[in-house]
Amino acid sequence: MLFEGNERREREKRKKSQGLLPPGQSLTLKWPVLHSGSVPRFDPDTWDFRIRGQLEELLRWTWQEFNSLPKVERTSDFHCVTRWSRFDNRWEGVAFREVLRRVRMKPGAAYVLVHAEQGFTANVPLPDLDREEVLFATHHDGQPLSPEHGYPLRLIVPHLYAWKSVKWVRGLEFLDHDVPGFWEQNGYHMYGDPWNEQRFSRE
Ligand SMILES: Nc1nc2c(c(=O)[nH]1)N[C@H]1C(S)=C(S)[C@@H](COP(=O)(O)O)O[C@H]1N2
Ligand SMILES: [Mo]
């Protein structure tokens, strides 16, 4: 379902009055672009997705292998720590659980460091990824992701601030302890719950 113009604004008003906008956030109709570094180029011949760390067996998939995994659609809200939110984004892609099903973890694995192009990382506890609504998205509102929004693949973790929704994702590292990712090393909160305004680690 796509929400256009008045219909979209009506729906936003309704959701706002239902308390679905986290504290300190404002709604945006547009979709801002936010990241550190440049927009990477996608080469389907050299792209791979690596899963490593506390595993019985390391995995490596080519673009063709990853992209042929079963797809799902999920609609969710998006909350950036810089105080904008966007309701009702329709994402299409591969469910995190679809990937997890193929991973043989060691018993201690409890955290994931998500890896992206150019060395970008974000840390997320495994239970926060092992959720119905978490996916590796290839499409947004019916269109392929644009390069600046993460083409060809980005993670979507709707219940955490959007810096955990890693663009240009290239792999997962399973760990038995939590380590800070890129923004977390730069002062952002280790967990990042928008409902509790976990924006920065020293606040
Ligand atoms: N690879 C990568 N992914 C990233 C970031 C980044 O710097 N690098 N920034 C994050 C932040 S802070 C936000 S708010 C969202 C923004 O996604 P958008 O540009 O599609 O709106 O991407 C997240 N994913
Ligand atoms: Mo952000």
Side-chain angles (χ1 to χ4, degrees):
M1 222 186 318
L2 266 173
F3 301 103
E4 297 297 348
N6 286 341
E7 192 195 346
R8 177 156 200 129
R9 270 183 289 276
E10 280 309 307
R11 190 179 163 84
E12 287 184 342
K13 236 192 279 174
R14 192 165 65 247
K15 286 187 67 157
K16 226 170 138 172
S17 70
Q18 290 168 338
L20 293 171
L21 185 64
Q25 297 293 108
S26 307
L27 283 174
T28 172
L29 284 174
K30 297 196 202 124
W31 187 15
V33 169
L34 229 128
H35 56 260
S36 135
S38 58
V39 175
R41 207 179 125 262
F42 169 53
D43 179 352
D45 295 329
T46 57
W47 190 97
D48 63 3
F49 193 90
R50 287 169 189 269
I51 308 182
R52 57 190 190 271
Q54 298 292 313
L55 305 178
E56 301 295 348
E57 178 198 26
L58 309 186
L59 291 173
R60 178 183 176 269
W61 294 325
T62 63
W63 172 250
Q64 209 189 339
E65 286 166 338
F66 194 101
N67 201 33
S68 56
L69 295 173
K71 298 276 176 72
V72 294
E73 262 188 38
R74 300 277 182 265
T75 297
S76 57
D77 302 337
F78 194 77
H79 310 296
C80 173
V81 70
T82 63
R83 300 186 181 273
W84 57 268
S85 291
R86 195 177 188 280
F87 280 160
D88 299 315
N89 300 276
R90 183 161 55 91
W91 303 104
E92 185 190 328
V94 178
F96 186 87
R97 286 176 170 172
E98 192 70 57
V99 168
L100 195 58
R101 205 170 298 144
R102 290 162 170 81
V103 173
R104 285 172 49 226
M105 271 179 282
K106 288 193 175 160
Y111 297 89
V112 176
L113 191 63
V114 183
H115 288 262
E117 300 282 353
Q118 302 175 354
F120 183 86
T121 52
N123 54 308
V124 186
L126 180 55
D128 289 275
L129 295 172
D130 186 7
R131 290 167 63 125
E132 186 71 24
E133 71 274 20
V134 175
L135 79 165
F136 294 98
T138 56
H139 289 69
H140 174 267
D141 286 350
Q143 301 293 325
L145 289 174
S146 63
E148 62 271 27
H149 284 302
Y151 177 82
L153 192 71
R154 78 177 297 168
L155 182 65
I156 294 297
V157 188
H159 71 289
L160 299 178
Y161 279 126
W163 82 80
K164 306 284 189 181
S165 288
V166 173
K167 302 195 275 192
W168 312 297
V169 62
R170 288 286 300 272
L172 304 171
E173 184 178 354
F174 286 75
L175 300 167
D176 58 12
H177 62 289
D178 202 7
V179 301
F182 175 84
W183 288 113
E184 294 81 5
Q185 287 169 39
N186 286 281
Y188 282 12
H189 198 276
M190 284 292 274
Y191 184 62
D193 175 6
W195 299 97
N196 288 305
E197 290 204 67
Q198 293 177 342
R199 299 175 190 275
F200 307 106
S201 53
R202 286 171 297 276
E203 211 179 43

